[in-house]
Structures are given as structure tokens and as C-alpha cells.
Amino acid sequence: MKINIHVTFLPHTDPEASLAFYRDVLGFEVRKDVGYEAMRWITVGPANQPETSIVLSPPAVDPGLSDEERRVIGELVAKGSYASIVFATDALQELFEKVEGSGADILQEPMDQDWGSRDFAFRDPAGNTVRVQQL
């Protein structure tokens, strides 16, 4: 049996800013861009991995959430503590320079970690923590 990671979700607070970052800075292709009323879900992913996608989605839109839960989620997203993701690349320094040049909030420059990885970290336009490891 094989199980693949197919889709994951990251919240966005400004769909245009997130779209521009994931498409233009990271080079992901846009697979779907779906709007409903004032909300928007944008599916992106690496061109060489059509079976793996990220849905950039508005946070806290589940109708089952209370106003208090929406408030807490909004605070966590703003604080950058709600969601994170880890990417891997064979060109860590090149990608770091591209991300840094975009004006993204750099949390950690490329460094060798005690556990054997070399990586860097930043926040995307919504504040999500993104870590990138060297392949």
C-alpha cells in the first residue's frame, strides 16, 4: 500500500499577496483559483510534482466555529503560530536569496542544524512559518 501526501492547507490573509509569493517567488504553478462570495481558495504546487498541492485558504471559515474560535485562530495566524510547512530544495542558497530578495520576513538564514540538516526559515505573506531544507 502506498500513501502520498496529496493536499495540505495554509491560511492566507491576503490572497493576492500569497498568490504572488507562491507563484512568483517560489515558482509554484497555480492549479485552481476558486472564489465563493468574499472568500478565495488558491491551489498551488511545484510543477514537477503535480500530485502534491497546497491550498491557500481563508482561515476560520468553517461554519461550525464560534466567534471566539475565529478570534483565536485570527490571532494565531497573525502571530505566525497557526500553520507551518517544510519544503526541500537542491538549491538552498539560491532559493534563500530569492526569498530574501522578495522582502519576506527571514526567521533564520541558512545554517547547519545539529540533526544533520541545512535549512533556513521565513514567514510567508500570511505569517505562516516556512522552513526549507537542503536535499
Side-chain angles (χ1 to χ4, degrees):
M1 177 171 64
K2 179 171 132 182
I3 299 176
N4 293 335
I5 296 175
H6 185 56
V7 177
T8 189
F9 290 77
L10 285 177
H12 70 64
T13 54
D14 177 340
E16 287 301 324
S18 289
L19 172 62
F21 185 80
Y22 281 89
R23 181 192 58 209
D24 303 338
V25 177
L26 297 185
F28 286 179
E29 64 182 19
V30 178
R31 297 181 179 153
K32 290 183 184 173
D33 191 339
V34 178
Y36 175 75
E37 297 179 350
M39 298 177 283
R40 191 167 166 199
W41 291 262
I42 304 164
T43 303
V44 297
N48 64 341
Q49 292 180 298
E51 69 283 353
T52 304
S53 298
I54 299 170
V55 178
L56 305 169
S57 59
V61 294
D62 184 327
L65 294 173
S66 69
D67 290 342
E68 176 63 12
E69 290 166 328
R70 284 189 181 83
R71 184 191 63 74
V72 169
I73 290 170
E75 288 178 2
L76 290 171
V77 169
K79 199 173 152 184
S81 301
Y82 186 72
S84 63
I85 194 163
V86 178
F87 298 133
T89 181
D90 60 356
L92 190 77
Q93 187 64 37
E94 179 183 338
L95 183 56
F96 172 74
E97 291 169 9
K98 196 170 183 182
V99 169
E100 184 179 45
S102 76
D105 180 14
I106 302 296
L107 301 174
Q108 175 209 299
E109 294 191 5
M111 65 180 287
D112 295 324
Q113 300 291 350
D114 292 340
W115 54 87
S117 295
R118 181 167 180 78
D119 65 5
F120 71 93
F122 62 95
R123 293 193 193 283
D124 76 2
N128 301 306
T129 299
V130 180
R131 185 166 289 279
V132 183
Q133 295 182 340
Q134 176 73 46
L135 284 176

